[in-house]
């Protein structure tokens, strides 16, 4: 009775989606962590529809990255809709993230069923995808929603394209596919590889497969003309790239000014890292200890190439044993092609350029490939649906699959726990990248916010030993010294941060306060004025300058500054009290 029940359409799909959602149920209780604060909590552009036009201006359509680095208006629109629905209640945001992952899992099932006409392969692929531990960062971290949106739109676009081919080239399905591809482009730049995927698929599957040619990898050369169906996708890609270069957009800035040689030499170690995490996802972190490769050494360059070639050889052997080699090649091509954008290291922050979240869409190709291979090994010679004749062997095979799925479920639940808070996230990351200066500063900031300066200060100093020119480390160490009353030390490090990058206004105001506490009133006044110049609307700046002026005996100037503070920030009760005090007759 149970096998017959599972064979009913919709039952397996619901079960797979339910198990996938159950694995991430705990994330609903998580808060805003890591870059969620600047990207969501502090982003005023999400507060009102008056900023909607800004979402679609290439120069303004960024969240955390510097201006011009990304153009993701659909992602911003999605964040705006979430803010409209849930405000700053993180539970709602996390619930939607889980729902998006479940939707992608369902789309994987539909895609594989359409490609293979085999519900068992589709169920295996969807279950592997839904429970794969490498997806934890994508689901548990709200700011990574762009990868979820990208996957929804691209898989949807591919499904619409397959319907376009199957239904005598209906223009309606082609239009739907192009629309979804456009939405994917506006969600994340990785979608730019999709036209190449469409071209490859069209060429490989140009003719209906028959018993005579089903074993061939490539159709005949004349079938290359079938690749012309990808032309509208390439046209749309060109239009997208042209829009990004229109005023007021500036060309995308490099977050890491690396030479092409460095990126090429680093690529093998990144690809080997990605493959290990896809196949053996026993570790999970926001930070990993992997460095740029600047010379072709054995350990960081030749050895990863050897491992990758060996893996490619195994994959080629598996493909040769598949009934439909074309599908195996397509699945592998999907995984490789969608991984390539993450190798452009200039667009990724230095020192932290490998991430599990980059593997979300590539893993679709991996799970399809894995499901094809498992079907070949476990169920060769059996029709989709019935239990194999050898019941004992069948129990062993299903037992192995059940064990692997249970392990994946447990690893997923385990890996998501550090994303519950910043302190847990950074402490977990320190196991994998203890010398990463960015991570050291992030963890030190959390410890400082908790009042553990005895543990925070050594981390700041360690980060500065790794990178003395780090603005982040110098500024935060100066601020930590300011908060602990070590004003002389605070002055030294805040001056260093200003020398490195003078654009931040806060460093000037804290420097002014530190100098005022030391009696250096002229210097304090000068830095407070610079702080106001760089951040004229920042709360408390005029208040600090008023205090300095009062300490210098400039009563009228102090009154003017208190007035400026009250005018700009009427909620500042302290400024109102000081103003009333000075205005009382002597």
């Amino acid at each position: 009775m149970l096998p017959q029940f599972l064979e009913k359409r919709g039952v397996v799909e619901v079960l797979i989606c339910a198990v996938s959602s159950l694995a991430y149920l705990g994330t609903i209780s998580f808060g805003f962590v890591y870059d969620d604060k600047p990207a969501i909590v502090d982003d005023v552009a999400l507060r009102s529809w008056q900023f909607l036009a800004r979402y679609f201006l290439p120069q303004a359509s960024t969240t955390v990255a510097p201006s011009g680095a990304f153009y993701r208006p659909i992602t911003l629109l999605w964040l705006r809709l979430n803010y409209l629905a849930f405000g700053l209640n993180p539970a709602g945001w996390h619930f939607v993230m889980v729902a998006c992952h479940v939707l992608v899992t369902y789309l994987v099932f539909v895609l594989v069923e359409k490609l293979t006409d085999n519900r068992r392969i589709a169920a295996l692929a969807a279950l592997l995808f839904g429970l794969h531990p490498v997806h934890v960062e994508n689901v548990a971290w709200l700011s990574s929603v762009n990868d979820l949106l990208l996957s929804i739109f691209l898989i949807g676009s591919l499904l619409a394209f397959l319907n376009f081919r199957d239904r005598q080239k209906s223009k309606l399905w082609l239009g739907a596919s192009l629309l979804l591809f456009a939405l994917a482009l506006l969600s994340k730049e990785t979608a730019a590889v999709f036209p190449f995927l469409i071209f490859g698929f069209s060429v490989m599957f140009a003719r209906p497969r028959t018993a005579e040619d089903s074993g061939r990898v490539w159709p005949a050369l004349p079938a290359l003309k079938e690749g012309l169906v990808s032309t509208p996708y390439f046209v749309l890609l060109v239009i997208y790239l042209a829009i990004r270069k229109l005023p007021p957009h500036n060309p995308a800035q490099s977050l890491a000014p690396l030479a092409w040689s460095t990126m090429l030499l680093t690529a093998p170690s990144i690809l080997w890292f990605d493959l290990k995490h896809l196949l053996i996802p026993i570790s999970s972190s926001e930070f990993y200890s992997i460095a740029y490769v600047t010379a072709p050494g054995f350990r960081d360059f030749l050895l990863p190439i050897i491992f990758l070639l060996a893996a490619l050889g195994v994959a080629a052997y598996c493909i040769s044993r598949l009934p439909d080699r074309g599908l195996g090649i397509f699945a592998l091509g999907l995984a490789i092609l969608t991984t390539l954008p993450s190798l452009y290291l200039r667009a990724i922050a230095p020192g932290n350029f490998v991430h599990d979240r980059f593997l979300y869409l590539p893993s679709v190709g991996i799970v399809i490939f894995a499901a094809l291979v498992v079907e070949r090994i476990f169920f060769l010679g059996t029709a989709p649906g019935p239990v194999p004749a050898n019941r004992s062997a069948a129990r062993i095979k299903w037992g192995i699959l059940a064990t692997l799925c249970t392990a994946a479920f447990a690893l997923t639940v385990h890996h998501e726990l550090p994303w519950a808070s910043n302190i847990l996230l950074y402490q977990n990351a320190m196991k994998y990248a203890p010398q990463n200066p960015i991570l050291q500063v992030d963890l030190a900031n959390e410890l400082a916010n908790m009042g553990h300066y005895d543990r925070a200060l050594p981390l700041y100093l360690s980060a500065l030993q790794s990178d003395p020119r780090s603005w982040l480390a110098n500024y935060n160490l100066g601020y930590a010294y300011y908060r602990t009353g070590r004003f002389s030390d605070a002055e030294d490090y805040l001056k260093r941060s200003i020398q490195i990058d003078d654009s931040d206004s806060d460093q000037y105001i804290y420097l002014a306060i530190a100098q005022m506490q030391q009696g250096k009133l002229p210097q304090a006044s000068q830095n407070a004025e610079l702080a106001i110049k760089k951040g004229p609307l920042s709360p408390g700046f005029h208040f600090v300058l008023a205090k300095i002026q009062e300490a210098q005996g400039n009563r009228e100037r102090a009154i003017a500054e208190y007035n400026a503070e009250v005018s700009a920030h009427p909620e500042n009760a302290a400024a109102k009290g000081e103003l009333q005090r000075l205005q009382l007759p002597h």
Side-chain angles (χ1 to χ4, degrees), residues 388-418:
N390 190 332
R391 293 183 178 276
S392 178
R395 291 192 188 99
I396 294 174
K397 293 172 180 178
W398 283 110
I400 293 173
L401 289 176
T403 301
L404 290 175
C405 289
T406 302
F409 186 99
L411 276 174
T412 295
V413 174
H414 174 73
H415 288 345
E416 69 191 34
L417 295 178

Side-chain angles (χ1 to χ4, degrees), residues 2 43 107 111 129 180-181 195 199 203 218 235 251 263 269 291 302 308 340 349 364 370 390 436 451 467 498 506 579:
L2 183 60
D43 192 350
L107 290 175
L111 174 63
F129 182 87
L180 290 168
F181 171 51
F199 175 81
V203 171
W218 296 100
V235 171
M263 290 194 289
S269 61
L302 293 178
L308 289 170
L340 294 180
V364 174
N390 190 332
N436 187 301
D467 184 7
I498 290 171
D506 287 350
L579 181 60

Side-chain angles (χ1 to χ4, degrees), residues 219-399:
L221 285 178
L224 285 172
K225 66 180 182 180
E226 292 291 331
L228 293 176
V229 73
S230 64
T231 301
Y233 297 89
F234 281 103
V235 171
L236 195 57
L237 176 60
V238 170
I239 294 173
Y240 163 79
L241 295 174
I243 290 175
R244 291 198 59 169
K245 294 185 179 295
L246 289 175
H249 178 61
N250 293 322
Q253 301 173 357
S254 294
L255 299 183
L258 300 172
W260 278 101
S261 60
T262 299
M263 290 194 289
L264 291 173
L265 290 171
T266 308
S269 61
I270 294 176
L271 291 174
W272 176 236
F273 168 91
D274 290 346
L275 185 60
K276 286 188 297 182
H277 275 249
L278 283 168
L279 299 181
I280 313 174
I282 58 175
S283 61
S284 179
S285 174
E286 174 55 22
F287 292 81
Y288 292 101
S289 183
I290 182 170
Y292 297 119
V293 179
T294 56
F298 178 75
R299 180 180 177 182
D300 294 329
F301 181 70
L302 293 178
L303 194 59
I305 289 179
I306 293 172
F307 288 146
L308 289 170
L309 289 175
L312 192 61
V314 173
Y317 173 77
C318 292
I319 289 173
S320 71
R321 307 299 296 174
L322 293 176
D324 191 334
R325 302 176 196 173
L327 279 179
I329 293 176
F330 173 73
L332 200 60
L334 170 61
I336 294 173
L337 196 62
T338 52
T339 300
L340 294 180
S342 65
L343 301 180
Y344 186 69
L345 302 182
R346 291 179 179 177
I348 306 174
N352 190 25
F353 54 87
V354 291
H355 293 283
D356 292 348
R357 66 178 179 271
F358 294 162
L359 303 178
Y360 193 76
L361 186 57
S363 70
V364 174
I366 293 296
V367 298
I368 295 175
F369 186 84
L372 291 170
V373 173
V374 169
E375 169 73 10
R376 171 70 180 181
I377 295 174
F378 277 32
F379 304 106
L380 180 63
T382 66
V387 179
N390 190 332
R391 293 183 178 276
S392 178
R395 291 192 188 99
I396 294 174
K397 293 172 180 178
W398 283 110

Side-chain angles (χ1 to χ4, degrees), residues 556-580:
E556 295 302 320
R557 177 72 187 279
I559 291 175
E561 294 300 330
Y562 283 131
N563 265 318
E565 180 69 29
V566 171
S567 176
H569 303 282
E571 73 282 1
N572 193 330
K576 290 180 179 179
E578 294 297 319
L579 181 60
Q580 292 174 356

Side-chain angles (χ1 to χ4, degrees), residues 354-503:
V354 291
H355 293 283
D356 292 348
R357 66 178 179 271
F358 294 162
L359 303 178
Y360 193 76
L361 186 57
S363 70
V364 174
I366 293 296
V367 298
I368 295 175
F369 186 84
L372 291 170
V373 173
V374 169
E375 169 73 10
R376 171 70 180 181
I377 295 174
F378 277 32
F379 304 106
L380 180 63
T382 66
V387 179
N390 190 332
R391 293 183 178 276
S392 178
R395 291 192 188 99
I396 294 174
K397 293 172 180 178
W398 283 110
I400 293 173
L401 289 176
T403 301
L404 290 175
C405 289
T406 302
F409 186 99
L411 276 174
T412 295
V413 174
H414 174 73
H415 288 345
E416 69 191 34
L417 295 178
W419 288 94
S421 67
N422 277 332
I423 191 69
L424 292 175
L425 181 65
Y426 300 143
Q427 286 177 337
N428 175 69
M430 285 292 286
K431 302 174 186 176
Y432 301 95
Q435 301 304 317
N436 187 301
I438 300 174
L439 172 58
Q440 289 176 330
V441 172
D442 286 339
L443 178 56
N445 287 343
E446 287 301 312
L447 291 170
N449 290 336
M450 298 169 65
H452 300 312
Y453 289 100
D454 56 326
R455 297 168 60 190
L457 293 176
L459 286 170
Y460 289 129
L461 292 170
S462 178
L464 283 175
Q465 287 180 349
S466 301
D467 184 7
R469 292 286 300 170
S470 167
W471 177 87
L472 195 66
N474 278 286
Y475 167 72
N476 282 285
L477 180 56
Y479 180 63
Y481 281 139
Y482 156 78
R483 291 180 65 179
T484 54
R486 296 172 59 174
F487 298 115
S488 178
D489 291 328
E491 181 181 9
D492 290 340
Y493 284 99
L494 289 171
K495 283 182 176 178
R496 293 183 192 181
S497 70
I498 290 171
Q499 289 175 350
I500 297 168
D501 184 355
D502 64 355
S503 60

Side-chain angles (χ1 to χ4, degrees), residues 509 512 524-534 545 549 557:
I509 204 67
S525 178
Q526 182 181 7
N527 284 306
E529 289 173 352
L530 286 171
I532 293 171
K533 182 178 180 181
K534 292 180 178 293
L545 182 56
Q549 293 298 326
R557 177 72 187 279

